[in-house]
Amino acid sequence: RYLVGKLWCWSVISLLPATQRVHLIWITKKKIGKMALQNRFVCKTISAFLTSIHADLTALELDRIYISRQHMSRLSNAFSKAPYLRELAFRECDVGLLFEALAEALSRCPCLQHLVMDTLSPVNISGLASLCQSLKGSLHSLSLVNMGINGEDCGKLVNILLKDDSSLESLNLSCNQLRTEGCQLIMEALRFNTSLKSLELCGNEIMETGATFIARALSNNHTLRVLKLPWNRLKEKGFQSILSGLGKNNTLEELDLRWNGISAQGIKKLNRMLKGKNPCEIGLRDVKLGTIVNSGTPKIPLSSPGKNS
């Protein structure tokens, strides 16, 4: 399909005047450069596809496929043919216990900046740590959603991803099993980290105790711009802890606290505290509280004051 598409494009380009060719060639390369590998391809087709990867490829997505050891060797060879690959996504793929082999394959991508590894199974934490170690110098964003990472596993990854020499700017660890222990490890590292700008920890059961560590990190960190914490059972006590840290932070631009059981009185206190401070986006979306994007002093309409959200 790729070869036929490319042949058709070049045949059209050859019929155009020379003054219009440059612009159309740029568009053609941009469209061809981003491909997706879907689950409708069988193993033989996957192998054939990987062997046809071209040098202009900049983004590749693999969805819901089984990657055997044989496919991994093909991946390694294919990545060496795509030196400008910057975006790579593995979603709901079965890689077995081949994370070490995947780390070796990805080492052939010197320009890789954005990596998505969501819902991979089974998860090999040691191999995943090796993969992060090999990419920490070039990686700008990493997504590890629904990977079954617990608090102990989180410690191994944090020591690699949030060190001072890391280039990581965006980290998504949503829908894992971090709980209070994992949150503590991340926030302790965040107190001294100067590169991370966006952090998503949705659905990790951080609870009220974990909110105290978030408050300490907000008090000391001055580079984080986006913090997303929906579905973590922070409740009123945890919200109050976060407010104490937010009062000492002047750099956070977006704070998402949806579905955490925060009362109307807590929202009013947040309004009073943020008067005169930096603009902040508060995402409190459920039946009782609406979506507000603030400019200047937040004004959050309450449909039912006094009740919990």
Side-chain angles (χ1 to χ4, degrees):
R1 184 189 300 181
Y2 161 70
L3 293 176
V4 171
K6 191 169 184 178
L7 181 62
W8 180 84
C9 291
W10 282 109
S11 62
V12 172
I13 290 173
S14 63
L15 299 176
L16 293 174
T19 55
Q20 299 180 11
R21 290 182 186 176
V22 175
H23 181 64
L24 189 55
I25 287 174
W26 180 83
I27 294 176
T28 302
K29 285 192 175 183
K30 184 177 180 181
K31 290 200 172 197
I32 291 178
K34 190 162 188 173
M35 304 181 186
L37 189 62
Q38 303 295 338
N39 59 340
R40 64 178 176 269
F41 290 92
V42 297
C43 293
K44 289 184 180 179
T45 308
I46 291 174
S47 301
F49 178 84
L50 290 174
T51 55
S52 66
I53 288 181
H54 59 96
D56 295 326
L57 187 68
T58 59
L60 178 64
E61 182 175 333
L62 295 89
D63 289 349
R64 300 179 183 178
I65 65 169
Y66 169 71
I67 303 176
S68 66
R69 190 170 295 276
Q70 180 183 1
H71 292 153
M72 195 65 71
S73 62
R74 294 290 185 93
L75 272 173
S76 182
N77 294 331
F79 288 150
S80 63
K81 298 177 183 178
Y84 302 110
L85 187 66
R86 294 192 297 270
E87 302 175 24
L88 180 61
F90 295 88
R91 292 190 172 91
E92 299 184 41
C93 295
D94 186 349
V95 297
L97 300 176
L98 302 176
F99 277 92
E100 287 89 350
L102 183 59
E104 182 180 352
L106 293 181
S107 65
R108 298 174 179 248
C109 305
C111 295
L112 188 62
Q113 297 179 353
H114 309 284
L115 179 61
V116 175
M117 303 183 72
D118 294 349
T119 321
L120 269 63
S121 62
V123 179
N124 180 349
I125 295 299
S126 298
L128 184 59
S130 300
L131 189 150
C132 294
Q133 180 68 41
S134 64
L135 296 174
K136 71 173 185 178
S138 61
L139 212 57
H140 289 179
S141 70
L142 176 63
S143 177
L144 298 173
V145 174
N146 194 23
M147 294 282 284
I149 301 171
N150 58 34
E152 182 180 354
D153 299 335
C154 182
K156 300 177 182 178
L157 300 179
V158 165
N159 289 335
I160 298 171
L161 296 174
L162 298 181
K163 282 187 175 181
D164 294 336
D165 58 346
S166 173
S167 61
L168 197 66
E169 297 180 358
S170 176
L171 179 61
N172 188 349
L173 292 173
S174 299
C175 302
N176 284 290
Q177 302 166 17
L178 302 182
R179 297 187 172 85
T180 302
E181 180 186 357
C183 179
Q184 178 181 3
L185 294 171
I186 293 173
M187 295 305 158
E188 287 294 332
L190 201 60
R191 291 174 62 186
F192 308 101
N193 179 275
T194 57
S195 64
L196 198 68
K197 297 179 181 178
S198 175
L199 178 62
E200 298 184 39
L201 298 175
C202 312
N204 274 288
E205 297 187 8
I206 293 173
M207 312 296 283
E208 301 172 1
T209 309
T212 59
F213 301 111
I214 296 174
R216 293 177 191 172
L218 289 176
S219 300
N220 292 273
N221 183 280
H222 301 290
T223 56
L224 194 68
R225 299 290 185 270
V226 178
L227 180 60
K228 297 185 178 182
L229 301 167
W231 292 111
N232 276 298
R233 302 184 185 180
L234 300 177
K235 299 185 179 179
E236 189 67 21
K237 185 177 179 181
F239 179 64
Q240 297 298 333
S241 298
I242 292 177
L243 282 186
S244 65
L246 194 61
K248 302 175 184 178
N249 185 291
N250 292 311
T251 55
L252 195 67
E253 297 174 358
E254 182 177 342
L255 177 62
D256 193 339
L257 296 171
R258 293 173 289 171
W259 303 299
N260 276 296
I262 301 168
S263 71
Q265 295 301 321
I267 304 302
K268 289 180 179 179
K269 183 176 180 180
L270 177 63
N271 276 331
R272 292 193 298 268
M273 189 196 74
L274 288 180
K275 280 186 177 180
K277 291 180 67 66
N278 60 303
C280 187
E281 177 180 323
I282 308 297
L284 293 164
R285 305 186 183 106
D286 58 18
V287 176
K288 302 179 185 67
L289 293 175
T291 303
I292 299 297
V293 178
N294 303 291
S295 178
T297 303
K299 296 180 181 179
I300 303 178
L302 301 174
S303 56
S304 52
K307 293 185 179 181
N308 289 347
S309 60

